[in-house]
Amino acid sequence: METRRALVTGAASGIGAACAHRLAADGVQVVAVDQDAAGLTDLKALGIETLAADLTDLDGLKDLPTDIDILVNNAGIQHVAPVEEFPPERFGYLLRLMLESPFNLIRQTLPHMYRRGWGRVVNISSVHGLRASPYKAAYVAAKHGLEGLSKVVALEGAPHGVTSNCVNPAYVRTPLVTAQLADQALIHDLTEAEVLDQVLLEPVAVKRLIEPAEVAELVALLCGPASASLTGSSLVLDGGWTAH
C-alpha cells in the first residue's frame, strides 16, 4: 500500500478523519481535503498532506491532485426541514457537495487509475442511500444518487482494475449527527436526548451511535488485498436498520 496515494474529502473530523488515519496506518500516502483548514491541523501534525478546499466550487476541484489511486468521497452536511419549507438553494448546495463533487472527483481521477490498472473509489453513502427519512429531502436524494453513480463507475471501471463501492452507515458519532439533535428536537418537540432515543436510534436494533473508526475499517477493507472482486456493492453498517 506504500505505493498508493489516497484523497479523502471531509477529512477534518468524523468519518473522514478516521479514514485518513486508518489508510495512513496501512502506509498509504493520504491527501486530506476539507474546507475547514484549522480542523486539518491534527492530520498535518502527523505528516499527512492536507489541502483546504471548497468542494462545492466545482471549477476549483481541478486544482486538487488527480494522481490518486484511492478516492474516498466522504464530505457531507445535513439540512432538516419539511419539503414545502426546504430552501431550494440549500437543496442545490447539498447536491453539489454530495453528488456533483464526487462525480467530478471520480471523473478526474479515473484516468490515472486506468493507466495504472488499479484503483479504488469508496463513496461514504448512508443508510439513507437505501432508505428515506422525513425532513431530509436533499440528503436522501444526494445519497440515492451517489449509490447509482457508484454502480455505474463499478461497471465501467471493472475492465481497468478499478472498483467502486458505497459504505452505508446509520448514525455515526460525528459533528454532522450531533448537530442534527437540536434541529430534530425543534421539529418533533422533544429534548435532544429523546431525539437520540426515539428518532435517530428508533429504527436500529443495536441501540448506539456508530464510531467513525468502525466505518474506517470498512473503507480499509475495500482498499485492501481482498477487494478485487468487491465492486458495485453497498456495505451496510446500520445496526440492523435495513433488516426490517
Side-chain angles (χ1 to χ4, degrees):
M1 297 297 284
E2 289 79 3
T3 63
R4 309 300 187 192
R5 194 177 191 208
L7 190 149
V8 180
T9 68
S13 64
I15 294 171
C19 289
H21 281 284
R22 182 63 181 80
L23 291 174
D26 278 346
V28 177
Q29 303 164 39
V30 176
V31 181
V33 179
D34 202 293
Q35 68 175 357
D36 179 9
L40 293 169
T41 303
D42 289 345
L43 293 175
K44 190 173 184 178
L46 295 174
I48 293 174
E49 183 180 352
T50 61
L51 290 172
D54 178 3
L55 296 173
T56 64
D57 176 8
L58 301 182
D59 290 335
L61 296 180
K62 299 182 180 67
D63 296 329
L64 296 179
T66 58
D67 56 338
I68 295 300
D69 306 294
I70 298 168
L71 174 61
V72 182
N73 286 310
N74 166 71
I77 57 173
Q78 182 62 274
H79 187 92
V80 179
V83 170
E84 71 275 15
E85 298 175 11
F86 210 105
E89 65 279 4
R90 195 63 172 165
F91 188 94
Y93 184 88
L94 265 69
L95 262 67
R96 280 199 307 279
L97 177 62
M98 295 192 289
L99 185 54
E100 290 189 73
S101 175
F103 163 75
N104 280 274
L105 290 173
I106 292 169
R107 182 178 182 275
Q108 68 187 40
T109 54
L110 277 181
H112 171 81
M113 297 180 187
Y114 286 0
R115 284 192 297 270
R116 296 198 69 178
W118 192 95
R120 298 291 180 265
V121 177
V122 183
N123 299 301
I124 306 301
S125 180
S126 165
V127 68
H128 285 114
L130 307 173
R131 297 289 189 272
S133 288
Y135 312 117
K136 299 180 180 179
Y139 189 89
V140 171
K143 294 302 188 182
H144 273 67
L146 187 63
E147 295 281 330
L149 173 63
S150 185
K151 290 179 173 64
V152 171
V153 175
L155 296 177
E156 293 185 10
H160 306 279
V162 175
T163 66
S164 175
N165 293 283
C166 288
V167 176
N168 300 70
Y171 293 105
V172 182
R173 194 184 305 278
T174 66
L176 184 147
V177 168
T178 54
Q180 286 185 57
L181 294 176
D183 292 339
Q184 293 270 21
L186 184 62
I187 287 176
H188 295 285
D189 193 25
L190 299 170
T191 67
E192 293 188 16
E194 289 171 334
V195 168
L196 181 62
D197 291 337
Q198 299 177 29
V199 180
L200 271 62
L201 297 182
E202 190 280 329
V204 305
V206 181
K207 300 294 185 182
R208 66 172 179 85
L209 294 175
I210 298 163
E211 298 300 329
E214 296 176 76
V215 183
E217 287 297 327
L218 278 186
V219 173
L221 169 67
L222 291 171
C223 300
S227 62
S229 293
L230 183 50
T231 194
S233 296
S234 299
L235 278 71
V236 181
L237 182 67
D238 69 351
W241 186 328
T242 55
H244 292 286

